[in-house]
Amino acid sequence: MSKWMKGCSQLNIYCIGRNYEKHASELGNEVPDQPLLFSKPSHSLVEARGQEIVLPKGLGDIHYELEIVLKINKAVEKGSKVTEVVSEMALGLDLTLRDVQSELKKKGHPWLRAKGFKNSAIITEFWPFDEKECANTEFSFDLNGETRQKGHTRDMIFTFQDIIDECADCFGLGEGDLIYTGTPEGVGPIHVNDIGKLFWGVEEKGSFLIK
Ligand code: ZN
């Protein structure tokens, strides 16, 4: 980075759309033949540590999308293996202004307004990344005490390696970047006073109250 850019934030948040077949079909979308990529501004990030999270009002439905989030720990080069460049993982919600997104899609406009609003990237605590553990663990999202989404990496269309290769190749990936790796089926609306909890296996990794 040049000295002109000193003090500028470097955090990138990349997201994968339609990476689970059943989720693509529940929204009436085709299964993509290359990863569908978009990004969120760093200001969209908010921790799920039991506090209140304020969301936009009057813009229609806001949907939760439960996702595994990978944290990149060093600059990704061509040929880098997932285990070399991902140190930690978390769970997250890629919140989406669904009605706004439908309008944007119709107009052929970018998704930023639907996907990039403040607090739209909820994130739990991080823990060490372990591929084997991922293969053996189901993750889930619980809303007001009811399980709404359950996912497993075996159902991903593009693997973590595919996603990292594609992001690094197209945009670059460096230390501290985050990747939201796509949501399984079961997305739905979230409302004021809802309590959300994110689970890795049976372990609660984060929670919040919508305001
Ligand atoms: Zn998503």
Side-chain angles (χ1 to χ4, degrees):
M1 195 184 250
S2 84
K3 63 178 178 185
W4 291 356
M5 301 301 290
K6 210 172 144 219
C8 291
S9 157
Q10 273 202 90
L11 168 69
N12 295 292
I13 306 169
Y14 297 113
C15 304
I16 318 302
R18 303 172 196 166
N19 199 26
Y20 289 75
E21 203 173 328
K22 285 182 191 158
H23 168 64
S25 26
E26 76 181 340
L27 295 183
N29 293 312
E30 307 243 307
V31 173
D33 51 16
Q34 66 173 167
L36 189 165
L37 302 171
F38 60 96
S39 70
K40 289 183 184 251
S42 54
H43 301 292
S44 64
L45 206 58
V46 61
E47 292 170 2
R49 47 180 164 72
Q51 87 288 20
E52 292 180 357
I53 293 179
V54 177
L55 296 181
K57 309 283 186 291
L59 294 173
D61 274 355
I62 299 178
H63 276 192
Y64 50 81
E65 296 188 358
L66 171 68
E67 317 204 353
I68 289 179
V69 183
L70 303 179
K71 190 202 242 177
I72 304 296
N73 69 329
K74 63 181 200 183
V76 177
E77 318 266 347
K78 222 177 173 62
S80 293
K81 293 271 163 285
V82 179
T83 44
E84 295 163 359
V85 296
V86 177
S87 54
E88 290 177 295
M89 62 183 290
L91 290 174
L93 292 184
D94 160 21
L95 294 183
T96 306
L97 278 160
R98 194 67 78 198
D99 296 329
V100 172
Q101 188 191 30
S102 302
E103 283 307 305
L104 294 171
K105 277 185 190 167
K106 268 187 234 160
K107 292 183 192 159
H109 288 185
W111 289 4
L112 184 59
R113 286 178 182 277
K115 290 282 198 179
F117 57 91
K118 231 177 129 191
N119 295 341
S120 64
I122 295 179
I123 189 96
T124 67
E125 61 175 295
F126 287 89
W127 64 92
F129 175 71
D130 178 340
E131 269 189 313
K132 254 193 213 138
E133 190 188 288
C134 287
N136 292 316
T137 309
E138 202 171 49
F139 54 101
S140 60
F141 175 60
D142 185 305
L143 197 60
N144 304 319
E146 227 176 76
T147 303
R148 294 295 177 90
Q149 281 191 282
K150 264 187 183 185
H152 193 283
T153 54
R154 79 169 86 85
D155 299 321
M156 292 194 305
I157 297 166
F158 298 102
T159 64
F160 291 152
Q161 187 71 58
D162 295 336
I163 293 167
I164 284 171
D165 290 349
E166 188 80 4
C167 284
D169 191 38
C170 296
F171 316 114
L173 269 179
E175 186 182 353
D177 287 349
L178 300 177
I179 307 178
Y180 282 66
T181 57
T183 188
E185 78 273 19
V187 303
I190 198 162
H191 303 105
V192 169
N193 293 329
D194 280 351
I195 294 174
K197 292 181 177 175
L198 298 94
F199 292 89
W200 181 244
V202 292
E203 198 181 335
E204 186 183 315
K205 291 293 194 181
S207 67
F208 57 85
L209 169 66
I210 294 297
K211 282 294 170 187

